[in-house]
């Protein structure tokens, strides 16, 4: 359950992080799209406003100025200018016509021109004269050409263009000036600068000169800086920048024909506030998921632990000796576990009963073995022999037999152990054979050839000596003694599979029949000769009945030289 909870927690954190990043990206994109839509609407309004001003300029030039003689039809020109002014006076501040020398030719409304301004040095006049084919829009400035007697100063944006003035039969160049009321553009920009989140919009021309800025007073006082030149020359419409350590997102769009730039400045705090809302939403969602996960974990843990607790209680009662049935229930795995425990307990009970029975039988067999080992005839004969030796004053032999008899019975008892080491078994056999040799006056010899590894080495009895060590051990048995051993049988250790494999050996009847058949062949071979079996054949019988072929003779010759056989070995 802990692993499940940890994995679930990691998954929830990953999901929360992904959701947070996804929602943050979507929120940022939504803010950018909303601002872009707002900018598009504003640009459309400003363009309509500028197109209207351009249409006024075109109407003045093409419908009035071009169609009239300024020297003889000044009243017509003035009347046309008055008509256009009155129709658009909410957006216009003044209309004026100047000749190329900067002299005022006509103006509407009719006011007195100030004496100090040099018109030819005005920016709008120079732009118009330098680029005659275009209509030029200036940056906002205070109108300083006319005095209407109210001592008021108006902020205007000047639209200027070069026009041809007809004077009798001659034409001359002049400049048509249309002063637009700056407040019209300011009202449009004020409408989109109502957000109190630090976001704002401003206008600049293609050179970065500010046309409108909601913080114009702070800019004029040097309390605030604006990277308007960077915005005017930016190649990307959306980019990030840092101004006075503040991270900001900038969106730039261009107003048609004029080349003005509408710039949206979004402090990163806008996104941060949105991200804070998203964080709270994600945290609440994670909290709800955690509560659901806790409830699910609780239900799952109860569903899993309840059968396990019942199984544990039944096992505990069983271990305490109570007759308790092992509980089987719950999920498939727990049911399988319960059945396995019940089966194992049954097997343990059966095994314990079998062990008790085997121990009982073992005690019986030990007693029987002990009784069989203490053979009265062997004991009586041995004691009689000792008595005769003592009476015959053969005390050394009597002491030897008594010590061998004591060692024999000491090993037979083996402190109650049914399994003894090969070393003790060898000592037991040597003690018995030593007693028999004394009794029968050394009429036979016996030798025990057992590797030291079997006596003292590895518990499994498997020899771990090198082949060289084995050869050295076997070399300890003298050649004459080996020459008199007719049959040498190696008895290798058997593994578990060989011991437990079902035996499929021949029956005694089959072996007896085979032996009898072999004996019948031998009797037929030897006839009336004293030789009864092959084992009793002498050199003369070997030469008669076992004549070697030339090939066998050569093979025997090689074996005789290689194995250093004796004459007895050759016959055997």
């Amino acid at each position: 359950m802990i692993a499940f909870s940890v994995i679930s927690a990691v998954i929830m954190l990953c999901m929360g992080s992904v959701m947070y990043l996804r929602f943050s990206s979507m929120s940022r994109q939504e803010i950018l799209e909303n601002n872009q839509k707002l900018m598009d609407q504003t640009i459309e309004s400003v363009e309509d406003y500028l197109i209207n001003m351009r249409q006024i300029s075109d109407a003045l030039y093409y419908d009035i100025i071009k169609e009239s003689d300024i020297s003889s039809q000044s009243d017509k020109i003035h009347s046309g200018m008055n008509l256009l002014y009155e129709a658009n006076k909410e957006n216009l501040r003044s209309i004026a016509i100047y000749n190329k020398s900067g002299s005022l030719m006509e103006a509407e409304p009719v006011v007195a021109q100030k004496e100090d301004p040099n018109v030819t040095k005005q920016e709008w006049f120079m732009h118009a004269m330098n680029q005659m084919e275009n209509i030029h829009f200036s940056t906002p400035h205070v109108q300083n050409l006319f005095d209407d007697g109210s001592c008021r100063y108006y902020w205007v944006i000047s639209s200027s263009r070069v026009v041809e003035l007809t004077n009798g039969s001659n034409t001359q160049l002049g400049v048509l000036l249309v002063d637009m009321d700056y407040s019209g553009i300011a009202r449009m920009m004020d409408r989109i600068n109502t957000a109190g989140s630090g976001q704002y919009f401003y206008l600049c021309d293609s050179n970065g000169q500010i046309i409108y800025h909601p913080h114009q007073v702070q800019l004029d006082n040097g309390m605030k800086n604006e990277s308007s030149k960077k915005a005017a020359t930016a190649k990307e419409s959306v980019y990030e920048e840092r101004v006075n350590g503040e991270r900001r997102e900038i969106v730039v769009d261009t107003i048609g024909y004029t080349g003005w730039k509408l710039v949206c400045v979004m402090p990163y705090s806008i996104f941060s506030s949105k991200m804070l809302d998203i964080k709270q939403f994600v945290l609440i969602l994670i909290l709800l998921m955690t509560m659901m996960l806790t409830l699910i974990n609780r239900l799952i843990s109860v569903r899993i632990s309840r059968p396990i607790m019942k199984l544990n209680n039944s096992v505990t009662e069983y271990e305490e000796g109570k007759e308790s049935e092992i509980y089987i229930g719950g999920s498939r795995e727990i049911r399988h576990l319960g059945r396995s425990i019940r089966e194992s307990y049954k097997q343990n009970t059966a095994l314990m009963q079998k062990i008790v029975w085997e121990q009982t039988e073992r005690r019986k067999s030990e007693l029987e073995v002990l009784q069989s080992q203490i053979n009265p005839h062997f004991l009586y004969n041995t004691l009689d022999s000792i008595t005769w030796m003592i009476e015959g004053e053969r005390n050394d032999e009597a002491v030897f037999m008594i010590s061998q008899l004591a060692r024999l019975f000491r090993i037979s008892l083996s402190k109650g152990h049914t399994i003894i080491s090969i070393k003790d078994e060898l000592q037991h056999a040597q003690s018995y054979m030593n007693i028999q040799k004394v009794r029968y006056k050394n009429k036979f010899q016996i030798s025990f050839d057992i590797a030291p590894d079997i006596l003292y080495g590895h518990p499994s009895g498997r020899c771990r000596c090198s082949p060289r060590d084995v050869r050295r051990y076997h070399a300890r048995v003298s050649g004459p003694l080996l020459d008199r051993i007719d049959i040498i049988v190696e008895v290798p250790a058997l593994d578990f599979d060989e011991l437990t494999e079902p035996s499929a050996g021949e029956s005694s009847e089959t072996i007896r029949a085979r032996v009898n058949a072999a004996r019948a062949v031998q009797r037929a071979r030897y006839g009336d000769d004293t030789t009864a079996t092959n084992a009793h054949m002498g050199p003369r019988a070997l030469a008669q009945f076992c004549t070697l072929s030339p090939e066998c003779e050569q093979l025997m010759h090689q074996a005789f030289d290689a194995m250093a056989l004796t004459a007895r070995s050759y016959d055997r």
Side-chain angles (χ1 to χ4, degrees), residues 430-443:
Q430 288 175 344
S431 299
Y432 179 80
M433 297 306 299
N434 288 337
I435 293 173
Q436 298 292 1
K437 286 173 66 178
V438 174
R439 287 184 61 209
Y440 290 100
K441 299 180 181 181
N442 295 322
K443 290 183 178 181

Side-chain angles (χ1 to χ4, degrees), residues 20-177:
Y20 173 72
L21 294 176
R22 180 62 178 169
F23 287 158
S24 299
S25 176
M26 292 175 61
S27 175
R28 181 178 182 275
Q29 190 65 30
E30 182 182 3
I31 292 174
L32 291 175
E33 289 177 357
N34 291 337
N35 286 335
Q36 188 64 55
K37 291 179 181 179
L38 187 60
M39 291 176 67
D40 292 341
Q41 295 174 0
T42 304
I43 289 174
E44 185 176 354
S45 299
V46 173
E47 286 180 345
D48 290 342
Y49 181 81
L50 295 176
I51 290 174
N52 186 35
M53 295 300 101
R54 182 177 179 180
Q55 289 175 348
I56 293 173
S57 178
D58 288 341
L60 278 171
Y61 179 46
Y62 293 108
D63 296 339
I64 299 175
I65 297 175
K66 256 187 162 331
E67 300 297 330
S68 303
D69 188 335
I70 195 170
S71 60
S72 59
Q73 296 178 322
S74 60
D75 292 339
K76 179 181 177 182
I77 295 174
H78 182 75
S79 175
M81 293 172 61
N82 179 263
L83 182 62
L84 286 173
Y85 176 77
E86 290 296 332
N88 299 278
K89 65 179 180 179
E90 292 182 356
N91 299 322
L92 293 179
R93 188 54 55 189
S94 62
I95 303 173
I97 301 174
Y98 291 90
N99 60 19
K100 64 179 181 179
S101 301
S103 299
L104 179 63
M105 306 301 293
E106 292 290 343
E108 183 62 33
V110 180
V111 291
Q113 179 176 284
K114 295 181 179 180
E115 296 181 359
D116 52 336
N118 185 357
V119 173
T120 58
K121 300 297 182 181
Q122 295 283 330
E123 183 179 358
W124 55 267
F125 190 90
M126 290 188 294
H127 279 307
M129 295 302 295
N130 292 333
Q131 297 179 357
M132 300 181 182
E133 65 279 2
N134 296 327
I135 298 178
H136 302 279
F137 294 89
S138 69
T139 57
H141 60 278
V142 177
Q143 195 226 47
N144 58 353
L145 297 177
F146 304 103
D147 186 4
D148 61 355
S150 62
C151 297
R152 296 177 61 186
Y153 296 91
Y154 301 97
W155 281 86
V156 295
I157 296 176
S158 298
S159 169
S160 58
R161 67 190 298 176
V162 171
V163 296
E164 291 184 356
L165 301 176
T166 302
N167 187 5
S169 58
N170 299 321
T171 60
Q172 60 178 339
L173 296 178
V175 175
L176 173 62
L177 173 65

Side-chain angles (χ1 to χ4, degrees), residues 361-487:
E361 295 297 321
R362 174 184 173 185
R363 296 303 177 190
K364 293 179 181 179
S365 63
E366 286 177 353
L367 183 59
E368 292 174 355
V369 170
L370 183 60
Q371 291 174 350
S372 65
Q373 289 177 347
I374 307 175
N375 192 324
H377 298 287
F378 169 75
L379 182 59
Y380 294 155
N381 293 335
T382 303
L383 292 177
D384 285 341
S385 298
I386 294 173
T387 302
W388 294 338
M389 290 177 185
I390 294 174
E391 291 176 350
E393 295 183 354
R394 294 160 55 189
N395 296 331
D396 293 338
E397 293 181 1
V399 171
F400 177 74
M401 285 192 70
I402 292 172
S403 63
Q404 292 298 316
L405 184 61
R407 185 175 297 174
L408 176 69
F409 286 114
R410 186 183 302 113
I411 296 175
S412 297
L413 296 175
S414 301
K415 298 180 181 180
H417 299 299
T418 57
I419 299 176
I420 61 176
S421 65
I422 296 178
K423 177 184 176 183
D424 291 338
E425 186 66 34
L426 177 62
Q427 184 63 52
H428 185 268
Q430 288 175 344
S431 299
Y432 179 80
M433 297 306 299
N434 288 337
I435 293 173
Q436 298 292 1
K437 286 173 66 178
V438 174
R439 287 184 61 209
Y440 290 100
K441 299 180 181 181
N442 295 322
K443 290 183 178 181
F444 62 89
Q445 297 292 328
I446 186 169
S447 175
F448 299 91
D449 184 11
I450 301 177
D453 273 350
I454 298 178
L455 291 177
Y456 308 104
H458 195 264
S460 66
R462 287 175 170 80
C463 181
R464 294 176 177 269
C465 298
S466 65
R468 183 171 176 270
D469 293 334
V470 174
R471 288 193 301 271
R472 189 192 316 171
Y473 171 76
H474 286 297
R476 295 171 59 185
V477 182
S478 63
L481 181 59
L482 287 174
D483 196 37
R484 283 164 176 77
I485 298 176
D486 292 333
I487 297 177

Side-chain angles (χ1 to χ4, degrees), residues 176-198:
L176 173 62
L177 173 65
V178 179
D179 281 338
M180 299 179 293
D181 194 348
Y182 174 71
S183 61
I185 293 180
R187 283 192 300 270
M188 286 185 282
M189 295 300 296
D190 288 340
R191 283 197 295 268
I192 62 174
N193 278 293
T194 56
S197 57

Side-chain angles (χ1 to χ4, degrees), residues 221-235:
N221 295 332
M223 299 173 60
K224 189 176 182 66
N225 296 324
E226 194 62 73
S227 56
S228 57
K229 292 185 178 180
K230 180 179 179 181
T233 57
K235 296 181 179 180

Side-chain angles (χ1 to χ4, degrees), residues 244-312:
N244 297 327
E246 181 185 14
R247 184 180 175 185
R248 308 191 306 182
E249 190 91 5
I250 307 298
V251 181
V252 181
D253 206 346
T254 302
I255 297 176
Y257 184 76
T258 62
W260 291 356
K261 305 291 182 179
L262 178 59
V263 183
C264 174
V265 179
M266 293 175 288
Y268 199 76
S269 57
I270 297 177
F271 305 111
S272 300
S273 61
K274 285 285 187 180
M275 291 178 184
L276 181 61
D277 297 337
I278 295 173
K279 285 180 181 178
Q280 293 176 352
F281 171 74
V282 172
L283 288 176
I284 292 173
L285 186 60
I286 292 177
L287 181 61
L288 293 175
M289 292 176 66
T290 304
M291 294 174 62
M292 292 178 60
L293 178 62
T294 303
L295 180 60
I296 293 173
N297 284 348
R298 178 60 181 169
L299 294 176
I300 295 176
S301 62
V302 169
R303 182 177 177 82
I304 295 176
S305 62
R306 184 176 296 169
I308 295 176
M309 292 300 296
K310 291 183 178 179
L311 177 61
N312 179 68

